[in-house]
């Protein structure tokens, strides 16, 4: 049994993490923390959680950050970029596992890219040398090694950088093609549509109901922070430098990302069934990736509130271009659920523990 | 461990029941049945459920009705009105528990009312003499007795009539006031708003997205089938005949009912806090009813995908009229979840088994 | 031809007014004003309006308040409560017609009620003695008189208080019954549902898409500012003091109010057809009120983007309670359109000028 | 003044056409026709239109097809594919202008492509030799010539094939680039998102509110009927054969198409401002195309209920790929409005007549 803490528990990612960890069978204690609402009960802010607390180890009262770190073996942070290094350092000092949901640790030793997109250098570059990018389908062994390190001669911090929501959907959709050399790596285009929870908790003009209902709004076409992350992961997957085109769109739905990715087929005349089978074989053992049968198209509807990533592989009418649709719930597989999956792997638990919820049909 | 069957598994209530029973820790076998899709896998119709089957006792292949009844100890039916008596008879013959989600058994021996609203008489009136109306908060003891009867000298069928969605929300909102004689029973008004899943799976003009988005549509103002059911339950609760006014509205949301009920306070000058405390005390031990604190207002948002009924009690500015807001997820507490709660009670299981899902905030 | 100004043109009411006045055939000049965005073009804030300006008399550049008042014959203000008296005074000094969309002038000489609900006394009580409450169906003659006064011996300012959105929908739904003594005035209940534009332009937690989509949220049950306004108008209509119960709900739609009103029939045994005919006869000559035929139910869908108020009259199953549904577009008949209707009446124009847009079906 | 008929007036395109023609200042008579509802009033089917009829020449009673053709000078048809040739022949015999909203006349003499995608050959190939593809921005001169032909020595029928909704949005977004040789014609990708009205009036599983709310659903990825139409138009625009990739998505909104198109820049190092200026210059004189300023992104929100097409031109972070966003209201510029624009051009009317409605902001 594990003691977990969530720092930033009142943000959307933190709140979803809190909800899911409350149902995790291996979590004995859960400490929630919030800088803005210390001392309050989380259910005063999230009344959906009323009645979920009170049992031993789960008070629901928002603690401060240092108490949260002090009491937990696994610390999650769902804060805006720029706050994770300090928490990572505290966790490292204490020997606990740190799973960060921000962008702070996603670029590893590539500080230049982080600085370009996040506007500041690393304060503690040494923390970034051993952190692991927590896309389980790509890095399961490394994530597991973090956990095993614990009981051995660990030198250095144990940090998992939980992937961004767009990068999770986008890169899982392209991984089989890149790894299997089915795709030309030039000219990859990712047209992604996200629900509004992806914008977080803060009300803004673009998330104001009358402005965002009934509307598809592309944004940050010239460059979104998730682009360099996507390109870094795609490059790893392909074994060569990939520079994709990535266009995010805000769609009038609460949850979900649907990424429609386009690439030219490396092999002339490849048939859709062959492509689909390659995808199905590639993900055969993955507990949370479902490759759809011919005729079906992935959509966020079928994965909402679950940790699944649904993928459907198609070939366009031109016969040359693959169209891959990948769909996730941005708050689960794209955030809180993936973080729990990472914890499960690192701790050697059943990878599906706490993540067995089936997506509702409606 | 129990063997369950769901007849009508491809309707909305049946599909939600199937999804929830798949996660129920005490259900060893689950047989799904559909007249329209026999032989198919349910996940070909509900792709959200892909991957949920295959384990022993859960094939996901849609069986026929008689096979479902044959194999199960507890049979649920989610069929349109008019089909339940036949299933009830088969279950009675076999000695299994039958939980019906249609209106067929909700009127007990009051065949006249059933006939008036459902357009046909009982075919087997004898089955209606011992059936129990499955509103746990009202009839928990009777529901439990059905289960205990099993091991004793039961003569007669064991049938639970699962309440309608509007009646669940409406009557739970009024129960404390009626039981506690806080309300005048003349002039009760229930203005209820339901999400579109309440209309079921069949596409119609009024559920066509372009016709129902962005729209509040009152309907069946002169009389909805749930009105006599509501009045029957309210009358039981009040110990006197109640004839309410009930206006259903279709609202542009997938799930949820918000019932706003109005009654004149029996006691002049009652304060809101007193009313609220009476409600809180009344439901103190109920596992699925949450009476909100002063200042909060119930809404379907906080109960979606859960078995909770949230209730807030208010007094209008006139000082004479109570305004009670009760909110449920129509597919869970108003249908599939309540059916499972009834099963749990009848079988002597933990009442919350399989129903521990926390509502998401967004 | 008229010169109009809109003060507060960048708020939601002001923006809608600006859009509608741009299409008004009798408006020769239109000056828009905004305290927050002076000097900018309104189409930089409302890109929907791009291309609508540039013609003579319509620059689209946001002027300051005094310039707007200086240049216009008719001044509209769409500001938060508390700012209208000053503008009214300036208009009075200049002899121009002032149409205020806030609550500031809706209470006439009943300063006590205004102060109770709006939190401050009148600064210039004298301005409130001659202002007219601009519900055309109730006060057409008085509104017209304001205009005629102009050319005659005007003593005092010419101020029209444009009604609130909820009061417009609610009181129009009850007017025929109250005037015709069809309703008992005790126990009137108004359960109203509004789209999110009713909350205005400012993003807040309750209008944040992920919090308000898929949700019906009752609010201010104990007392909303529109309650005293409704009661004042209903009392006028009934010729006796009315104290209603009014419950507003926020619904997940952009535009529209559906008010479901309940009253006990004064005449025992009144039939629905009789009620409906009384309504139809009452509103026969009204250009913007449509009383629906038997079998139809009013809904905001059929009035969106138009100045119509649709009303359907029903009798509940109890035979004693009337259920009246009235539906408007809160931004048009509930705000900007009604303001233009008031201007048209006051200026002696065709009452439908600039308001001929037909509601779209979808 | 013109006499117009709408055949198929109860379908979505026909209903929108009817609504817009009712407000057209040059339409003296309007005959509506419906095979399914002959003899009824259209406002019994579309209650939003109640009260719009009754004036001379506008009865609102649904006539039969032959009467409609008989009485009108301009005949519009909004029928499913396969019914237009017969109407075209009747119009030709009578000498009236026929504007067809189906796909039947969009392929001109390329019968092979029509047959491949629509499943049947032309019955009257001769009618297709002179029909004009009614994209005003591309074919204004030809459309105008149809009208002028009338008074001269017309040989042959006068038929305008109104473009599809996706083709309108997609090809307008690419026209300046193709015409100006700014784009490589290989590898063009169009990722388009449409509101649900695009699916028409018939309720189906995929347009059932609980299945399509909160969901982005790509569909017909391997080939949609609008693909060959898009490619035919793009090829004309480019002066060379274009085979694009086109992926339609169903989005949870009533109206609108947002097409995000991708192409490689023909000129290395082209800057975004240069691209944008080329677009702005190209469309400078177009009354219904708005090219947005730098920093703005096109979205359907700003064009809803209007005949505008908004376009924003961007260059992706890779510096090589242009991203063009074009947005229309699929029912107006993508259907009924464009049809009226075509009529206006053909008849020599003000091109904006009847189309002056400004899009609402919310």
């Amino acid at each position: 049994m594990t003691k977990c803490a969530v720092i930033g528990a009142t943000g959307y990612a933190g709140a979803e993490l809190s909800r899911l960890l409350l149902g995790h069978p291996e979590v004995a204690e859960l400490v929630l923390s919030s800088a803005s609402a210390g001392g309050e009960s989380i259910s005063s802010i999230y009344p959906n959680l009323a009645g979920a607390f009170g049992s031993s180890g789960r008070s629901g009262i928002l603690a401060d950050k240092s108490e949260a770190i002090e009491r937990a073996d696994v610390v999650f942070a769902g804060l805006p970029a720029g706050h994770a290094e300090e928490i990572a350092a505290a966790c490292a000092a204490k020997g606990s596992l740190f799973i960060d949901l921000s962008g702070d640790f996603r670029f590893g030793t590539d500080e230049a890219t982080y600085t370009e997109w996040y506007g500041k250098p690393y304060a503690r570059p040494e923390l970034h040398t051993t952190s692991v990018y927590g896309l389980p389908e790509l890095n399961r062994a490394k994530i597991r090694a973090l956990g095993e390190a614990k009981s051995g001669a660990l030198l250095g911090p144990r940090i998992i950088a939980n992937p961004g929501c767009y990068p999770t959907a986008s890169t899982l959709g392209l991984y089989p093609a890149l790894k299997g050399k089915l795709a030309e790596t030039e000219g990859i285009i990712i047209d992604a549509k996200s629900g509004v929870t992806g914008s977080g908790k803060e009300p803004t003009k673009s998330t104001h109901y009358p402005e965002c209902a009934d509307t598809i709004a592309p944004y940050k076409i010239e460059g979104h922070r998730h682009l360099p992350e996507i390109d870094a992961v795609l490059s790893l997957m392909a074994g060569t430098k990939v520079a994709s085109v990535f266009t995010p769109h805000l769609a009038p739905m609460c949850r979900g990302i649907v990424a429609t990715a386009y690439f030219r087929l490396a092999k002339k005349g490849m048939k859709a069934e062959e492509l689909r089978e390659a995808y199905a074989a590639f993900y055969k053992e993955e507990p949370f990736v479902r490759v759809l049968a011919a005729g079906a198209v992935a959509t966020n509807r079928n994965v909402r509130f679950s940790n699944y990533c649904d993928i459907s592989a198609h070939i366009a009418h031109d016969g040359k271009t693959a169209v891959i649709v990948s769909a996730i719930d941005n708050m689960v597989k794209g955030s809180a659920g993936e973080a729990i999956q990472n914890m499960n792997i690192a701790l050697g638990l059943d990878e599906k523990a706490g993540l067995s919820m089936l997506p509702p049909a409606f």
Side-chain angles (χ1 to χ4, degrees), chain A:
Chain A
M1 297 293 279
T2 303
K3 297 175 187 179
C4 293
V6 177
I7 296 174
T10 58
Y12 271 6
E16 184 72 349
L17 245 177
S18 302
R19 184 177 74 94
L20 294 178
L21 289 169
L22 280 164
H24 194 296
E26 302 287 339
V27 175
E29 262 190 58
L30 179 60
V31 189
L32 306 181
S33 162
S34 164
S36 62
E40 285 183 60
S41 163
I42 193 171
S43 57
S44 69
I45 299 164
Y46 288 102
N48 56 301
L49 297 180
F53 299 96
S55 64
S56 123
R58 293 173 188 204
S59 75
I61 301 301
L62 292 157
D64 74 16
K65 195 165 57 177
S66 55
E67 186 189 339
I69 295 170
E70 183 53 38
R71 285 169 52 190
D73 304 321
V74 181
V75 174
F76 298 87
L79 298 172
H83 297 83
E85 286 182 319
E86 185 198 333
I87 301 170
C91 290
K94 193 169 162 284
S96 39
L97 179 66
F98 176 50
I99 301 177
D100 182 42
L101 280 75
S102 83
D104 285 354
F105 282 97
R106 291 183 194 150
F107 294 88
T109 54
D110 184 5
E111 184 177 349
T113 298
Y114 177 80
T115 303
E116 179 189 347
W117 290 87
Y118 288 78
K120 54 169 216 160
Y122 290 165
R124 306 175 188 236
E126 72 284 3
L127 288 173
H128 298 266
T129 57
T130 59
S131 65
V132 175
Y133 186 78
L135 188 68
E137 293 76 8
L138 177 69
N139 281 335
R140 187 174 282 107
K142 287 185 186 171
I143 299 162
R144 185 169 295 137
L146 277 186
E148 289 161 357
K150 195 187 181 176
S151 45
L154 174 70
L155 300 169
R158 296 182 303 132
I159 300 168
I160 297 174
N162 210 57
C165 49
Y166 282 125
T168 297
S170 304
T171 65
L172 288 179
L174 292 166
Y175 192 14
L178 293 173
K179 190 75 181 177
K181 309 291 179 203
L182 309 176
E184 286 189 27
T185 54
E186 272 275 319
I188 293 175
I189 286 170
I190 301 159
D191 189 289
K193 300 88 182 170
S194 174
V196 188
T197 50
S199 299
K201 188 193 183 183
E202 208 55 48
T204 63
K205 180 171 160 49
S206 66
T207 63
H208 189 43
Y209 187 92
E211 314 255 345
C212 93
D214 237 33
T215 304
I216 294 281
Y219 65 104
K220 292 196 184 164
I221 298 177
E222 289 83 2
H224 181 287
R225 278 181 178 182
H226 283 174
L227 170 64
E229 185 181 338
I230 289 170
D231 280 350
V233 179
L234 295 184
S235 298
L236 268 176
M237 289 170 165
T240 183
K241 180 96 187 142
V242 174
S244 68
V245 171
F246 165 64
T247 310
H249 297 68
L250 191 66
M253 50 195 200
C254 284
R255 282 169 179 249
I257 287 179
V258 174
T260 312
Y262 301 87
F263 60 81
R264 269 162 290 156
L265 291 163
K267 191 176 114 186
K268 237 183 173 169
M270 193 182 210
K271 294 290 167 234
E273 197 48 31
E274 193 182 341
L275 179 68
R276 207 196 63 71
E277 278 167 14
Y279 267 70
F282 187 86
Y283 281 131
K284 205 178 169 191
E285 305 296 330
E286 281 300 332
F288 291 114
V289 181
R290 303 189 294 196
V291 175
L292 307 192
V297 183
T299 156
N300 62 311
R301 173 144 294 265
N302 290 326
V303 298
R304 289 180 315 149
F305 302 101
S306 84
N307 203 49
Y308 285 121
C309 175
D310 275 8
I311 296 176
S312 63
H314 313 263
I315 293 181
H317 193 256
D318 71 355
K320 301 177 201 164
T321 310
V323 184
I324 310 296
V325 183
S326 51
I328 61 170
D329 182 319
N330 60 307
M331 299 309 303
V332 187
K333 182 61 176 169
S335 174
E338 189 162 43
I340 292 174
Q341 188 181 358
N342 278 316
M343 174 184 81
N344 290 345
I345 296 170
L347 300 188
L349 305 174
D350 174 3
E351 194 166 331
K352 299 172 86 166
L355 297 172
S356 61
M357 55 280 186
L358 292 174
F362 36 77

